[in-house]
Amino acid sequence: ISKLLDTFHKGLSFYHKQKWDKAIECFSKSNDFEEKYEGRKINPSLVFIERSENFKENPPAKDWDGVYALHSK
């Protein structure tokens, strides 16, 4: 679990610095460490991979505070 947390937190650091490719790389690695449960289609790593990919295509402002605005339910 420490590898998962270390890798995920490293990804969060890159995420907040808007270094999307490095964030995606870390979240992809942390996804490998996350437990898989039948019926669970998403986990925190996958959420942040999706968000990072979205921000990579549609970058936030330079003064972005790290908040992710949900655009649909």
Side-chain angles (χ1 to χ4, degrees):
I1 196 160
S2 69
K3 285 184 181 182
L4 164 61
L5 293 175
D6 289 344
T7 308
F8 186 83
H9 286 142
K10 193 181 295 184
L12 284 177
S13 177
F14 287 127
Y15 176 86
H16 286 109
K17 293 175 186 173
Q18 300 186 34
K19 297 187 181 293
W20 310 121
D21 289 327
K22 290 185 180 212
I24 292 167
E25 182 181 329
C26 287
F27 293 135
S28 294
K29 288 179 185 175
S30 65
N31 181 53
D32 292 339
F33 295 120
E34 290 202 41
E35 291 185 39
K36 310 299 186 246
Y37 297 101
E38 188 175 327
R40 184 174 92 172
K41 298 176 186 172
I42 196 84
N43 62 39
S45 296
L46 294 175
V47 168
F48 277 92
I49 289 169
E50 184 178 320
R51 290 180 182 182
S52 297
E53 288 172 345
N54 183 305
F55 280 135
K56 185 176 174 180
E57 296 297 319
N58 306 292
K62 292 290 181 193
D63 62 346
W64 176 62
D65 62 2
V67 172
Y68 182 80
L70 201 56
H71 297 285
S72 65
K73 204 171 180 188

